[in-house]
Amino acid sequence: MTHAASPRTYVIVLLALLALTVVTTVVAHIDLGPGNSAVAMLIAVVKMLLVMLFFMHIRYEARLTRLFAGAGLLWLLFMIGLVMADVLSRNWR
Amino acid sequence: MSSKTVEPVSETPVNYLNASFGLRSWLLTIDHKRIALLYLVTITLFFFVGGVFALLIRLELLTPRGDLFTAETYNKLFTMHGLIMIFFFLIPAVPAVLGNFLVPLMIGARDLAFPRINLLSYYIYAVGGTFTMYSVVAGGVDTGWTFYTPYSSTYSNTHVTAMVIGIFITGFSSILTGLNFIVTIHKMRAPGLTWFRLPLFLWSIYATSIIMILGTPSVAMALALVAMERLLHIGIFDPRLGGDPLLFQHLFWFYSHPAVYIMILPGMGIVSEIVPCFSRKRIFGYSFVAFSSLAIAVLGFLVWGHHMFVAGQSIYAGIIFSALSFLVAIPSAVKVFNWTATLYKGSVSFATPMLYALGFIGLFTIGGLTGLVLATLGLDIHVHDTYFVIAHFHYIMVGGMVMAYLGGIHFWWPKITGRLYPDSWGRLAAAIIFIGFNLTFFPQFIVGYLGMPRRYHVYPPEFQVLNVFSTAGASILGVGYLLPLLYLFWSLKYGAKSPANPWDATGLEWMAPSPPPTQNFPVTPLVAWEAYEYEKREVPVA
Ligand SMILES: [Cu+2]
């Protein structure tokens, strides 16, 4: 468990997050049709991964810690997946 | 709290109870055993507050007319009964009291991995409880314990926000406790204590902890969103602002169905300790019982939609949730069959803990099987939101979890306090509780099947006979719960001193003195045996 990265890495990640926030805001003013949510979601996922890997140290942690973080992600997929099973099929006949 | 300490008799060896004195030494303790007792006192308090609400509900339902309380007051009574019992008693009870006390002792450790976080979790629980009690005293909440939107978020004029904040805060206590247990069980087991030598109580506590840390954030966020919707009208659940009221039910039940397993899994763990001990036999199918706990922890997260069959959820999602709900019955049934097989050809004795464990097996089975009735799409339309549902989940939570909790308290009481309680009183109380429980809740299956809806303070006169039975049962049950409070208190002063291992049980906790010293074990034990080696009872007693 070598701990954490240099302050330099943190600054770069922070700048990346801020840049992505700007991108999200700018893209929100362009109409991409169905692509609107897709792009917003994509950027959100990238930001989430940056936070998890660097700020939450997942990248530098032991296997067991990663397993539990992965379980958290899997549980999120359970939630989104089964909620979508309801929302998307509500109007099927 | 200091009233609970046994006074020092000169020849009593130093133990965690008499190691230090004064309120400060209790309120700032980082000893897992003392923290367990802090929880025990607080949780017992909440249990009786919730019990008073239950009694008031049953008094109103003695007669078909709404003659005791107004409809509004009645709504508040059942809401606060549910909230206090679930979030402040059922969920923390076994993990925070028995789990805190036993996890380090069962693995041969001095304490949990994070003793200060353990104390912090107690105070978070206390702060959350204070917010909740404020909400109760200020006038209460009338949304039902489920806080369904848009009623809770837009229309209710009661103290929803304070209540929601209280439960939000308490959630963190749950998360920290789960985190502490997982790290402790992974990292601090005594040498030789492999995963498959662990007592099954620890497998179930481990599975429970997983649910706590992965599920609690969901309900916390759902409730935080309700509060934000009330205060800022952000439009998550309000359809006029583009929200979806059913989204709340999804987020809420994503936690609150698994929460049932937070309540019942530790109870199953207790039963897995008691049954082998009083059958003098190795547990039947150790690894099946162990892995069924993990299976429940995972599958339990995939079934929440069975609460929403008639709420407007898509019928196709309903089919998936119904099928998955049937699946989760399998690991529960595995446990019941394994306990029963453990009894087979054992030399069974019926001390107080065993009576509770046997009561648990029967009542949990009834509760579980009626759960399958409710998970069936077509049948659920008939019995949804009737007293059938009330009876079903009380068989799980009261018939199951509370029975197991009391069984565990009686089983480990000599270890916790160093005193023996009068077993005849214990068995009498167990019998009274069993009879009172069934008299209270069995009639509710019938009256629910006949169509009596839940959450009304009036009902048609033809349902009165069954409701009178139910109210009579509730008063018997109330007496049954008061009895242990009395004789357990009595035993603190007058009970005979307990030896280290009064039940001749396996398990590291019984090798420590009763009550254990603050550091639990003078030397770290070396474990060279399986759990439950009752047949070759040669386990060294230190
Ligand atoms: Cu459920």
Side-chain angles (χ1 to χ4, degrees), chain B residues 60-327:
Chain B
E60 169 62 69
L61 294 178
L62 194 56
T63 57
R65 283 170 296 113
D67 34 22
L68 194 53
F69 302 112
T70 62
E72 288 74 21
T73 309
Y74 183 80
N75 291 347
K76 291 178 180 173
L77 288 177
F78 69 69
T79 300
M80 294 185 294
H81 164 67
L83 284 169
I84 288 177
M85 284 303 201
I86 288 172
F87 290 107
F88 295 93
F89 172 72
L90 289 163
I91 286 177
V94 177
V97 178
L98 292 172
N100 254 330
F101 193 91
L102 291 169
V103 169
L105 279 165
M106 281 182 161
I107 61 172
R110 294 180 63 143
D111 208 311
L112 289 172
F114 309 116
R116 282 191 175 75
I117 289 185
N118 196 19
L119 182 65
L120 177 67
S121 86
Y122 172 74
Y123 280 105
I124 292 175
Y125 170 79
V127 170
T130 309
F131 269 92
T132 298
M133 290 318 286
Y134 162 76
S135 162
V136 169
V137 174
V141 179
D142 68 347
T143 58
W145 80 275
T146 46
F147 292 111
Y148 273 10
T149 56
Y151 183 67
S152 64
S153 54
T154 310
Y155 301 106
S156 174
N157 293 319
T158 53
H159 296 80
V160 177
T161 310
M163 182 65 87
V164 156
I165 291 173
I167 292 164
F168 181 85
I169 295 172
T170 309
F172 287 92
S173 157
S174 204
I175 293 170
L176 292 179
T177 302
L179 180 78
N180 222 336
F181 288 162
I182 287 177
V183 176
T184 306
I185 295 173
H186 268 284
K187 295 287 180 190
M188 297 176 67
R189 301 191 309 276
L193 189 57
T194 59
W195 282 88
F196 290 96
R197 287 176 177 172
L198 284 179
L200 288 164
F201 180 75
L202 293 181
W203 279 88
S204 65
I205 283 287
Y206 186 86
T208 307
S209 304
I210 291 178
I211 305 177
M212 282 171 157
I213 61 173
L214 292 176
T216 315
S218 163
V219 78
M221 287 322 297
L223 294 179
L225 288 171
V226 167
M228 282 159 78
E229 185 119 343
R230 282 179 78 82
L231 300 171
L232 309 167
H233 311 286
I234 49 174
I236 300 281
F237 306 122
D238 186 347
R240 283 175 311 182
L241 301 171
D244 181 349
L246 271 191
L247 179 63
F248 175 80
Q249 296 189 26
H250 278 301
L251 296 178
F252 179 82
W253 288 114
F254 180 81
Y255 165 78
S256 294
H257 181 82
V260 175
Y261 299 111
I262 297 182
M263 305 171 205
I264 203 75
L265 268 172
M268 292 168 155
I270 292 171
V271 173
S272 301
E273 298 301 312
I274 295 177
V275 167
C277 177
F278 293 94
S279 310
R280 312 312 298 169
K281 262 185 76 192
R282 175 191 297 268
I283 190 125
F284 183 86
Y286 175 96
S287 51
F288 278 88
V289 182
F291 281 116
S292 63
S293 293
L294 294 183
I296 287 173
V298 178
L299 288 174
F301 274 97
L302 304 174
V303 302
W304 76 82
H306 61 217
H307 296 270
M308 302 165 62
F309 287 158
V310 298
Q313 176 183 242
S314 133
I315 184 72
Y316 303 99
I319 293 168
I320 297 173
F321 280 123
S322 176
L324 289 168
S325 301
F326 276 89
L327 219 59

